[in-house]
């Protein structure tokens, strides 16, 4: 059989869910098929992430000397690299050779963090290549990506309340999330989440808390006095929705601690205090005892290597201890964290590392170490549903996409709802309940 190759690559500057420029990459195959992929973008980014190339001062507004296009956030240079150097590196390659193509893209950039040509440009090509590969093989994207991994419909970890850099209203913790692990199906899980989302609004308004729109990931971003108050609201809202906290729905935190960490201390302005790492671990432990919290992400600062093992020792028996800004989907950081027992789960964001091949390296290494992995969107998203297929293909049975308002989130959830109706019903994708080694009900039993 003759091989199908990359015949042409192009890119357009489009807008993400925050109205910031990002890329859409188009790929044409040698047999005339066209596919595309859109690239997400974070706001609360980790320092070790691969480099997102933005135009900065290089391109000014047409006809307005001195004024920057999109305040310097344009991605025209990254688009030009897709059409130029990156295309040169991979044109003519077999679209099913994902590993070789990703390697060629990294080699063309030739920096450790994809700073020269841009991780955003590289990721757009990497994802478009996977779509082309699936098309050539006549497979669904999840099926093609899964290869020999067991495809599992993921359990969602859903943002209900936002604080930190995604809402800027008072609470320092970035996400207060719900995990509907007691649901019998993905559809029921999403129905419960919708009930909880509505009940949370009712609970907030009953408490006299004003709501003006939603936060960056579609959850509520209310002004609440403390992080603990947010967990109290979540508990009451769960009950108001007729659900049992800890049995039907458990809670997760994305503390995003780096963003209120300064010079050795965690600054909780909402509570008028600052703690050192030991005190902060004690605070998280208190919260995890008082509330049905089964997952804590970025509970400590992103370079606090000596403190993470203490957090994992304190809470890792009952909670997922997830590294996001801490591990940045980076195989080297993951390896070190595994050997130092610094966490027991990794958040997987494709654009933190920049290629699909490296993303799967992290997923598979986590699985081999007995860790969990949560496949995650960014706060700046697009209408591309690629992530839903990636989550199914990962076999890791967890996804984090934000809340249930805003279509850049729903395109992923709706893809999973459709897959439950078709592929789960047909038995080609397993339901998450069949992955007990990865997802016991609350409290999570984790061997580390
Ligand atoms: P980001 O946030 O996409 O703004 O980095 C998401 C997260 O911290 O999980
Ligand atoms: Zn995070």
């Amino acid at each position: 059989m003759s091989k199908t190759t990359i015949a042409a690559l192009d890119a357009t500057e489009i807008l993400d869910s925050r109205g910031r420029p990002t890329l859409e990459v188009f790929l044409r195959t040698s047999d005339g098929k066209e596919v595309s992929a859109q690239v997400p973008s974070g706001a609360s980014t980790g320092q070790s992430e691969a480099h997102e190339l933005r135009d900065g001062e290089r391109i000014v507004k047409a006809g307005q000397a001195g004024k920057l296009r999109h305040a310097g956030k344009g991605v025209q240079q990254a688009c030009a690299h897709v059409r130029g150097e990156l295309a040169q590196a991979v044109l003519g390659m077999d679209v099913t050779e994902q590993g070789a193509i990703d390697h060629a893209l990294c080699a063309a950039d030739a920096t450790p963090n994809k700073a020269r040509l841009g991780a955003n440009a590289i990721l757009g090509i990497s994802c478009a290549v996977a779509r082309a590969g699936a098309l050539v093989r006549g497979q669904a994207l999840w099926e093609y990506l899964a290869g020999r991994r067991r495809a599992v419909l993921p359990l969602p970890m859903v943002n209900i309340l936002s604080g930190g850099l995604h809402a800027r209203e008072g609470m320092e913790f970035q996400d207060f999330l719900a995990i509907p692990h007691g649901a019998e199906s993905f559809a029921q899980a999403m129905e419960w989440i919708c009930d909880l989302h509505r009940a949370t609004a009712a609970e907030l308004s009953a408490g006299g808390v004003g709501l003006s729109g939603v936060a960056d990931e579609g959850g509520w971003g209310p002004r609440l006095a403390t992080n603990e108050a947010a967990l109290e609201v979540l508990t009451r809202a769960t009950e108001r929705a007729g659900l049992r906290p800890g049995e039907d729905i458990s809670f997760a935190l994305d503390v995003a601690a780096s963003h209120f960490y300064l010079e050795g201390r965690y600054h909780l302005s909402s509570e008028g205090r600052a703690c050192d790492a030991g005190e902060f671990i004690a605070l998280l432990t208190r919260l995890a005892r008082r509330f049905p919290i089964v997952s804590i992400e970025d509970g400590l600062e992103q370079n606090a290597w000596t403190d993470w093992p203490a957090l994992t020792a304190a809470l890792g028996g009952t909670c997922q201890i997830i590294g996001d800004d801490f591990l940045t989907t980076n195989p080297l950081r993951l390896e070190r964290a595994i050997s130092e027992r610094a966490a027991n789960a990794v958040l997987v964001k494709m654009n933190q590392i920049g290629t699909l091949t490296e993303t799967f390296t992290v997923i598979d290494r986590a699985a081999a170490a007995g860790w969990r992995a949560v496949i995650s969107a960014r706060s700046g998203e697009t209408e591309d549903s690629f992530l839903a297929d990636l989550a199914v293909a990962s076999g890791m049975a967890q996804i984090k996409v934000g809340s249930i308002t805003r279509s850049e989130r729903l395109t992923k959830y709706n893809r999973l709802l459709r897959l439950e109706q078709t592929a789960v019903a047909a038995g080609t994708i397993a339901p998450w309940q069949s992955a007990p080694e990865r997802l016991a009900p609350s409290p999570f039993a984790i061997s580390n």
Side-chain angles (χ1 to χ4, degrees):
M1 211 169 70
S2 71
K3 60 182 188 173
T4 306
T5 60
I6 303 176
L9 279 169
D10 198 357
T12 307
E13 186 184 76
I14 59 165
L15 298 174
D16 74 12
S17 56
R18 264 191 292 255
R20 287 196 195 141
T22 187
L23 297 90
E24 180 162 31
V25 169
F26 302 89
L27 184 159
R28 187 159 42 78
T29 62
S30 52
D31 58 355
K33 298 201 172 78
E34 290 193 7
V35 291
S36 65
Q38 301 174 339
V39 180
S41 169
S44 130
T45 49
Q47 287 163 0
S48 337
E49 294 194 18
H51 185 75
E52 185 179 76
L53 189 67
R54 301 246 173 223
D55 294 332
E57 295 176 2
R58 283 182 288 251
I59 303 182
V60 295
K61 265 188 197 304
Q64 293 185 44
K67 288 246 169 75
L68 302 180
R69 290 184 69 253
H70 288 287
K73 300 266 185 210
V75 292
Q76 291 191 341
Q77 300 270 319
C79 290
H81 291 321
V82 170
R83 290 187 287 269
E85 274 193 66
L86 291 168
Q88 286 315 311
V90 298
L91 284 183
M93 290 181 80
D94 183 335
V95 295
T96 60
E97 292 195 346
Q98 184 82 41
I101 292 171
D102 285 345
H103 182 77
L105 294 170
C106 295
D109 174 81
T111 68
N113 64 344
K114 306 179 178 66
R116 199 173 70 79
L117 302 176
N120 41 356
I122 290 172
L123 180 65
I125 298 177
S126 188
C127 291
V129 166
R131 281 215 161 98
L135 210 57
V136 165
R137 293 261 168 86
Q139 290 178 311
L141 182 59
W142 61 265
E143 193 179 3
Y144 176 70
L145 292 176
R148 282 195 299 274
R149 291 174 204 88
R150 181 156 172 266
V152 181
L153 203 71
L155 174 62
M157 175 189 288
V158 186
N159 168 294
I160 305 293
L161 292 168
S162 286
L165 293 182
H166 290 172
R168 302 173 189 277
E169 279 288 355
M171 302 104 70
E172 290 80 11
F173 294 4
Q174 183 171 286
D175 281 5
F176 299 84
L177 309 103
I179 303 184
H181 55 73
E184 279 168 14
S185 66
F186 189 79
Q188 186 179 46
M190 294 313 293
E191 185 185 340
W192 285 1
I193 292 294
C194 295
D195 292 346
L196 173 59
H197 188 262
R198 266 196 316 278
T200 304
E203 190 57 41
L204 288 167
S205 87
V209 181
L211 285 172
S212 50
V214 293
D216 282 11
E217 296 195 6
W220 307 114
R223 183 178 287 279
L224 293 171
T226 61
N227 298 295
E228 193 154 358
L231 285 161
E232 283 163 3
V233 166
L234 211 51
T235 306
R236 287 198 302 273
T238 304
E239 287 160 353
R240 184 185 272 263
L243 297 161
R244 295 164 299 172
E247 287 179 56
D248 298 323
I249 287 189
S250 289
F251 303 153
L253 296 174
D254 181 1
V255 178
S258 297
H259 302 284
F260 54 89
Y261 174 90
L262 191 68
E263 292 169 355
R265 299 182 83 73
Y266 296 87
H267 293 262
L268 296 170
S269 334
S270 70
E271 300 175 22
R273 62 176 170 144
C275 341
D276 65 19
E279 290 161 344
F280 197 60
I281 292 171
L283 180 147
L284 293 174
T285 306
R286 232 177 14 258
L287 290 178
R289 279 209 194 103
R290 188 169 161 217
F291 300 97
I293 294 171
V294 295
S295 180
I296 299 178
E297 178 179 331
D298 282 346
L300 293 170
E301 196 267 340
Q302 60 195 310
N303 290 310
W305 283 97
T306 51
D307 300 323
W308 275 84
L311 173 67
T312 306
L315 282 168
T318 51
C319 275
Q320 291 188 131
I321 303 297
I322 307 180
D324 170 17
D325 293 354
F326 175 46
L327 300 176
T328 57
T329 317
N330 182 307
L332 297 175
R333 289 180 79 90
L334 175 64
E335 206 53 55
R336 177 171 173 194
I338 290 169
S339 73
E340 296 181 14
R341 293 175 177 248
N344 59 29
V346 57
L347 202 75
V348 175
K349 291 169 165 170
M350 291 184 289
N351 78 327
Q352 282 183 328
I353 189 68
T355 65
L356 261 182
T357 301
E358 291 162 292
T359 301
F360 273 110
T361 300
V362 165
I363 291 169
D364 294 342
R365 181 67 188 105
W371 278 38
R372 308 263 182 82
V374 180
I375 311 306
S376 173
R378 298 307 304 238
S379 53
E381 267 296 332
T382 69
E383 57 269 32
D384 195 327
S385 63
F386 192 106
L387 198 83
D389 288 64
L390 177 68
V392 169
S394 73
M396 299 300 270
Q398 289 191 77
I399 190 168
K400 179 184 180 218
V401 181
S403 201
I404 43 96
T405 67
R406 304 178 54 135
S407 289
E408 77 278 6
R409 318 280 148 198
L410 294 169
T411 186
K412 285 82 165 167
Y413 289 131
N414 288 341
R415 166 83 173 146
L416 295 170
L417 284 168
R418 287 192 291 270
L419 285 176
E420 182 166 66
Q421 287 290 309
T422 53
V424 175
T428 47
I429 295 179
W432 75 74
Q433 293 89 338
S434 68
E437 72 283 10
R438 306 251 163 77
L439 278 175
S442 169
F444 285 28
I446 294 177
S447 56
N448 191 27

